[in-house]
Amino acid sequence: MSEGLQSSVTTGIGYPKVDLAARIVLRSNPSDFSPDKTAAGIIYISLSHCWGPPPDPSAPLGGRADSVLTTSKLSNWLTEIPLKDLPLTFQHAIIVCAQLSCEYLWIDSLCIVQDSLEDWQTQSAVMGDIYKFAFLNIAILSTTSDYEGFINPARDTRVDFGFRTSFASLLGRSREEKNGSGQECVLLRGSAKLLWSFQSALPMSSASNAPLCNRAWVYQERCLARRTLAFAANSMYWACDEGSRGEQPEWAVAGLESTGLRRLLHSSHEIAETARAQGQTRLSLEQHWAVFSAFDMHWHSCVTSYSQCKLTRLTDKLVAISAVARELHSTLNLGDLRYLAGLWEINLPFQLAWITVKGRTTPARARVGDREYVAPSWSWASVDAPVQPRLICRSGGGFVALAVARAAEVALDTGNTFGSVKAGWLRLRGCLNHVRAADLYEPADLVDKVTGEELGFCSDTVEGYGMMGSESDLRKIVWVPLTLQFAGAILRCTYLVLIEDELHGGGAFVKTGEKVYRRIGCGDFGRHLSVFRTDKLLMELGTFPDIEALDGQGEALMQGFKKREDTLEEFVLI
């Protein structure tokens, strides 16, 4: 077996050759293939797999040094890679490639130098393209280690069965009839071909809950792969842009398709093609809105699903979804719309209202300068927990922004605009409201100092809940209204809970004397329209028109509402 450094790959019918600055493939034994096989470019297969726990955590590279690419082995592996040293999953993947008459296979641990941070940063930046342009992606769903393999030679497609039933029901006769021995029931024995059920093959009865699909890195692999051939313990499944199938044709395989990303990209391409066919030089407002709304919904879904996945290194959080963000930005022609550590530079007050419901068990986020730092506190990527993001465009919901984003900046860790960051700053103009602790029996509540009204508080991590018992911390905590929603019969305000950060080292972005805060949580409050004027917190947000607030009058209230400006001030979130 030999590995080559390739730059030009064939991406399929209708796709041009693409230059990838990556080690693309592992070449299998040429004798496995027809000698007259020729190709204008390289068609290759990629692999999605679970590395599994390290064989020897105390050894270099966790005991995997013999089975992964390292700096010392690179020159030798360009000539030959010993098959016997590879994990069983890799050996099985090579067998699949040979059966499909495909000479080339890309495996991350064999094509990225595992003891070189520089090589990892370079290769991880193009990993999305590797899966995007692969002819096929092999996904190993139900194994938890590369050493388990996935081709099951002991798979039995037949099963013995037995069941009891009424003798009369077999004959289609009256239930009172009996056989010659006076028995009403008989025991039937036999064998039949068994198509293993999806539910028995995968944990928790869903492809999206398979061990592989819980890996954060695999999320973008699933999103970008054009075709997927997936292996479970006793079944095989297929997924592509058109749909998915299991071994039994009528089974739809939820969770294996490309999570809607490729369909979104195809849809936007069709809109652009329609516009060109109609002689348009640019998309109409309606077409722009259709594309952006679809992007908004898809990114919301991406963050929701991705934040539930697990990472071995938390610092990979932004890198492992960077290919999805880059693909959306470039293919949908989002132009100057900047990506800011998991958020997009548009309608930021709405995006800042993301929440996590596992704050009581979520570890405190790393701070700037910490080895495990991932993202600024205002980004959902800063917490190691499932999050519920917010849509960028709250169309039809009657929303008003109560805070304004003045400027934003992130310090990139590498040249990858959508990758990891070293720090981030967001300048907001809003109302900083001080608090005091609520009743000791309700440690998750705060009390607004001015009105005396209670505020339900949802902390992002354990850190926020720990601050409720500290007077010194409480003096530095504020709540900032973000949005006000006039919809249905309820008037609802969302807000952030922040703590002043005096040791921020804000650099050039922070002005002299400017207040700097970091996020510790969020919350909301609201009232029925018929009684909202009795709520002191709502009345402090601004002035409302003097109309009778009944059901269905939210729109009229919103039109006449004027947010309070005299208490607004600028500050920086880090």
Side-chain angles (χ1 to χ4, degrees), residues 491 527-535 538-539 544 549 557:
L491 194 61
R527 289 290 185 272
H528 192 278
L529 288 180
S530 61
V531 295
F532 83 92
R533 294 185 192 277
T534 63
D535 189 296
L538 286 173
M539 300 310 293
F544 295 85
L557 279 176

Side-chain angles (χ1 to χ4, degrees), residues 277-323:
Q278 295 174 348
Q280 297 175 224
T281 56
R282 63 181 62 186
L283 297 183
S284 67
L285 183 60
E286 292 77 11
Q287 289 168 330
H288 269 300
W289 177 249
V291 170
F292 193 84
S293 295
F295 154 75
D296 192 8
M297 291 293 294
H298 184 76
W299 184 249
H300 179 278
S301 176
C302 278
V303 173
T304 301
S305 300
Y306 176 73
S307 66
Q308 299 179 59
C309 299
K310 303 300 181 184
L311 282 162
T312 302
R313 293 191 296 264
L314 295 180
T315 51
D316 289 350
K317 192 157 193 176
L318 287 171
V319 183
I321 199 175
S322 62

Side-chain angles (χ1 to χ4, degrees), residues 33 94 160 193 228 267 271 305 322 356 427 471 522 571:
F33 304 92
I94 292 168
D160 291 332
K193 185 176 181 181
T228 298
S267 175
I271 291 175
S305 300
S322 62
T356 176
R427 178 171 291 108
E471 284 296 329
C522 61
F571 58 93

Side-chain angles (χ1 to χ4, degrees), residues 210-225:
L212 181 71
C213 296
N214 290 329
R215 286 191 60 221
W217 274 103
V218 171
Y219 183 81
Q220 68 179 13
E221 297 168 12
R222 290 166 56 201
C223 285
L224 294 167

Side-chain angles (χ1 to χ4, degrees), residues 193-204:
K193 185 176 181 181
L194 173 69
L195 288 173
W196 289 88
S197 71
F198 203 157
Q199 285 75 11
S200 66
L202 298 174
M204 300 175 67

Side-chain angles (χ1 to χ4, degrees), residues 319-392:
V319 183
I321 199 175
S322 62
V324 174
R326 184 177 67 248
E327 189 70 15
L328 285 168
H329 186 272
S330 62
T331 307
L332 300 184
N333 295 316
L334 298 182
D336 296 331
L337 183 62
R338 288 200 303 160
Y339 182 73
L340 302 168
L343 277 62
W344 301 86
E345 196 178 25
I346 181 174
N347 287 357
L348 280 170
F350 297 105
Q351 296 181 71
L352 293 174
W354 59 266
I355 62 172
T356 176
V357 295
K358 293 188 175 182
R360 291 187 181 277
T361 57
T362 300
R365 50 168 65 89
R367 307 277 293 277
V368 174
D370 291 346
R371 186 175 180 180
E372 294 299 312
Y373 179 81
V374 176
S377 68
W378 39 267
S379 168
W380 55 266
S382 66
V383 295
D384 181 24
V387 301
Q388 298 174 12
R390 293 293 179 257
L391 292 171
I392 300 172

